[in-house]
């Protein structure tokens, strides 16, 4: 009888631990309507890109920086690029048009939400390998090569590249 209780107790404990782990994985999903974000960006893309004085320079698109990221590094690169946009691009960009500023603010708020979702993931679920560090460094280096306002404008103009990458790598899958 005692052996049977111990077995049931162990089984129950294992079930609770696996349920907690599965709940932790679900928190790592970026459940966001990327179509809505893309549409918000499409409304301002032409105006933003028309102001770009360096049409042959790229920040995100350089030699497939994002497209070469391995699945293990996706969470880390996403976390780093969300921080890049929130902490640098959105803050460095100076916009005079209230309509465009509202769209950018809406996108920035969505990025803050995605950051919060990724921060809830356990550290072990968001691996940061050398490839992730290199990709992030390349993007920061590209940004730093331009004057701050030009770099912010260029990064905003390439936002569709990042949004498509997030959509491809996070929708319906764990962020790790």
């Amino acid at each position: 009888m005692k052996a049977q209780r111990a077995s049931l107790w162990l089984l129950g404990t294992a079930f609770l631990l696996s349920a907690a782990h599965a709940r932790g994985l679900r928190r790592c999903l970026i459940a966001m309507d990327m179509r809505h974000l893309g549409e918000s960006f499409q409304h301002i893309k032409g105006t933003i890109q028309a102001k770009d004085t360096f049409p042959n320079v790229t920040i995100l698109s350089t030699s497939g920086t994002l497209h070469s990221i391995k699945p293990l590094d996706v969470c880390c690169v996403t976390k780093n690029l969300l921080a890049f946009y929130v902490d640098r691009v959105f803050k460095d960009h100076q916009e005079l048009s209230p309509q465009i500023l509202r769209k950018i603010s809406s996108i920035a708020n969505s990025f803050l939400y995605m950051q919060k979702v990724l921060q809830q993931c356990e550290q072990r679920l968001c691996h940061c390998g050398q490839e992730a560090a290199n990709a992030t460094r390349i993007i920061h280096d590209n940004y730093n090569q331009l004057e701050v306002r030009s770099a912010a404008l260029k990064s905003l103009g390439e936002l569709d590249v990042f949004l498509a990458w997030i959509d491809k790598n996070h929708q319906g899958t764990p962020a790790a």
Side-chain angles (χ1 to χ4, degrees):
M1 188 70 154
K2 286 184 181 183
Q4 199 173 28
R5 282 188 195 161
S7 296
L8 286 174
W9 183 83
L10 284 174
L11 183 62
T13 303
F15 175 75
L16 287 175
L17 288 175
S18 67
H21 179 70
R23 192 174 64 241
L25 287 177
R26 279 197 302 275
R27 281 195 320 243
C28 295
L29 295 176
I30 297 180
M32 170 137 321
D33 184 3
M34 296 306 290
R35 192 184 82 249
H36 174 71
L37 264 178
E39 288 171 0
S40 291
F41 174 68
Q42 289 304 318
H43 284 100
I44 63 172
K45 181 179 179 177
T47 305
I48 296 289
Q49 290 181 345
K51 296 177 187 177
D52 186 356
T53 56
F54 299 100
N56 297 326
V57 176
T58 63
I59 292 177
L60 290 181
S61 308
T62 309
S63 65
T65 303
L66 290 177
H67 301 293
S68 64
I69 300 300
K70 290 185 174 72
L72 187 61
D73 290 323
V74 165
C75 177
C76 181
V77 171
T78 304
K79 182 179 68 168
N80 290 343
L81 289 182
L82 288 170
F84 167 73
Y85 270 94
V86 169
D87 297 338
R88 295 189 75 185
V89 176
F90 296 136
K91 288 181 181 177
D92 290 345
H93 181 69
Q94 296 180 354
E95 185 56 55
L96 300 176
S97 167
Q99 294 86 359
I100 293 176
L101 191 56
R102 275 194 297 277
K103 294 288 185 185
I104 291 172
S105 293
S106 174
I107 294 168
N109 286 333
S110 296
F111 278 29
L112 286 169
Y113 171 78
M114 286 188 276
Q115 275 187 310
K116 183 179 176 182
V117 169
L118 287 177
Q119 286 171 352
Q120 291 174 354
C121 295
E122 297 176 29
Q123 188 66 20
R124 63 185 167 80
L125 295 178
C126 198
H127 172 76
C128 287
Q130 189 61 45
E131 186 176 323
N134 290 342
T136 304
R137 182 186 45 76
I138 288 168
I139 290 167
H140 280 274
D141 289 349
N142 292 341
Y143 190 89
N144 292 333
Q145 289 176 7
L146 296 174
E147 183 267 330
V148 172
R149 288 185 183 154
S150 297
L153 188 67
K154 173 65 70 180
S155 296
L156 278 175
E158 295 181 356
L159 194 57
D160 55 342
V161 173
F162 183 44
L163 293 175
W165 186 81
I166 289 174
D167 191 39
K168 175 185 170 208
N169 287 285
H170 284 284
Q171 295 302 301
T173 59

